[in-house]
Each structure stands twice: as C-alpha cells, then as structure tokens.
Amino acid sequence: MSDSEDETRDKLLKIVILGDGASGKTAMATRLVHDAFGKQYKQTVGLDFFLKRITLSGNLNVTLQVWDIGGQTLGGPMLDKYIYGSHGVLLVYDITNHQSFENLDDWYTAVQKVAADSERRPTVALVGNKIDMEHLRDVKADRPLRFCQENGLAHYCTSAKTGESVCIVWRVGLCCATDTF
Ligand SMILES: Nc1nc2c(ncn2[C@@H]2O[C@H](COP(=O)(O)OP(=O)(O)OP(=O)(O)O)[C@@H](O)[C@H]2O)c(=O)[nH]1
C-alpha cells in the first residue's frame, strides 16, 4: 500500500441544530446539503437527518451527519439523547423573533447538561438566521454578542434563503475535525 493510501482517513461528525420552531433549522440544513430553499413552513416532528460528505486536505474524508431537531422538543424527554455524542452544536435563533433569542438560554442549558455527563464537550456556536430580513430585526445586535462573550461561543449570521454564510455548518464541522484528529 502506498503512503497516500495509507494516510486516507474517514471521520463521521455529528452536528446538532437546535433552536425554536420556525427559526430556520431545516432551511439551513437543506441549504447546506441540497443548496435549495423552500418558502413553505413544515414543522419538524422529532428530528430529521441530513448527510454531507466533504474531503479535506491530507486525504481526510469527513461525513457531516446533521441532526435537525424539531423546536418542540425543548423540555421533552428525548432532547438529551439527541444532543448526546455531538461534535458540534448550532444554536439557531431568528433575528426577526426576539423570543427565539430569549429561549436560547434554555437550549444552551440543555446542551451544557448533556456535556457535563459526557467525555467530549461539543463545539457550540450561535447562529442568527434570516438576515435577509434585517429590516424586520427584533433582536438587538449587542445581545447575542454579549451572550457569546459570556459563554465563550462563536457567533454567526446567516440567511438560509439567500445562502449567505450557511457554510458556517461546515466551519463548525471542520473546527471539530481539527480538534478531534
Ligand atoms: N426570509 C427567510 N425565511 C426563512 C429563512 N430560513 C427559514 N425561513 C422560513 O422560515 C420558516 C421556518 O423554517 P424551518 O427551517 O422550517 O424552521 P425550523 O427551525 O426547522 O422549524 P421547526 O421544524 O418547527 O423546528 C419557513 O417558512 C422557511 O421558509 C431565512 O433565512 N430567511
């Protein structure tokens, strides 16, 4: 076997997307995997899965297994199990819906609870979605920044509709990959 074949590695990364209903989690996953956007809102019941395969330099094949968790699962019995074992977590809020930002406290608490009982702490990032509707912004820009500073999290803004910055999911995945290898 040649050196290059010898060095080829495959890795599965579990990325969990959390946040209130209608914040755009499914739309983000759909944009990432299918580069498409649907206007119609269809509530995710329980969870849904998406797969994205990427090859990194150094013969590193990474499969992102994206867990799109329905917003109604907050406070339910299955949420801990969905989060468990994740390498990366995206906490999504809708910049036009203040309550979706306020509720991130509860989503983050759920992540911390699972992380405290796990060997691995996932990389967590905050994502403000729907920035194509900046004119309807209902979350003051300094609030998420403060939340991220206080908790040591990265913050990103995306539009699943236009595709702007949705590759953040990749970045979190890659960051996890770097940590894990
Ligand atoms: N304008 C705009 N609309 C968006 C964007 N992302 C999602 N939407 C719309 O917002 C609605 C909800 O999006 P979903 O992706 O289904 O939301 P979700 O967070 O998965 O919702 P649950 O399944 O209830 O947890 C849909 O009508 C989407 O078309 C965005 O970036 N911009």
Side-chain angles (χ1 to χ4, degrees):
M1 189 183 286
S2 74
D3 280 355
S4 59
E5 281 172 331
D6 196 27
E7 285 168 10
T8 299
R9 290 172 298 166
D10 294 281
K11 184 72 183 175
L12 180 75
L13 292 178
K14 175 178 175 179
I15 308 292
V16 176
I17 314 185
L18 301 175
D20 273 13
S23 57
K25 300 178 298 294
T26 302
M28 281 184 59
T30 304
R31 172 62 72 189
L32 172 77
V33 175
H34 302 299
D35 198 17
F37 176 76
K39 268 194 202 159
Q40 199 79 29
Y41 173 41
K42 187 167 166 283
Q43 186 185 71
T44 303
V45 179
L47 79 163
D48 213 344
F49 294 103
F50 294 79
L51 284 179
K52 177 84 182 176
R53 198 168 159 77
I54 50 178
T55 301
L56 304 180
S57 59
N59 289 341
L60 183 56
N61 298 318
V62 177
T63 301
L64 293 180
Q65 186 186 65
V66 180
W67 292 47
D68 169 24
I69 311 295
Q72 308 308 316
T73 56
L74 184 62
M78 296 304 289
L79 184 58
D80 291 4
K81 294 172 183 60
Y82 296 158
I83 296 169
Y84 186 80
S86 55
H87 298 85
V89 175
L90 299 176
L91 296 175
V92 181
Y93 66 95
D94 172 354
I95 67 154
T96 72
N97 179 341
H98 184 73
Q99 196 57 47
S100 73
F101 172 74
E102 291 296 329
N103 290 343
L104 285 187
D105 256 340
D106 294 337
W107 287 106
Y108 188 49
T109 299
V111 174
Q112 285 180 304
K113 192 169 145 249
V114 174
D117 295 337
S118 314
E119 282 176 20
R120 177 177 54 225
R121 289 188 74 83
T123 302
V124 182
L126 216 66
V127 182
N129 188 41
K130 306 194 186 182
I131 52 168
D132 57 284
M133 297 207 290
E134 184 65 40
H135 56 293
L136 295 177
R137 177 179 275 279
D138 190 31
V139 179
K140 283 195 178 138
D142 62 317
R143 293 288 311 280
L145 293 180
R146 207 181 322 144
F147 185 93
C148 287
Q149 273 171 1
E150 285 168 4
N151 295 290
L153 309 180
H155 179 243
Y156 301 90
C157 293
T158 62
S159 167
K161 184 175 181 180
T162 65
E164 186 176 345
S165 300
V166 171
C167 67
I168 170 57
V169 177
W170 296 41
R171 284 205 223 160
V172 172
L174 298 183
C175 177
C176 296
T178 316
D179 283 355
T180 318
F181 282 80

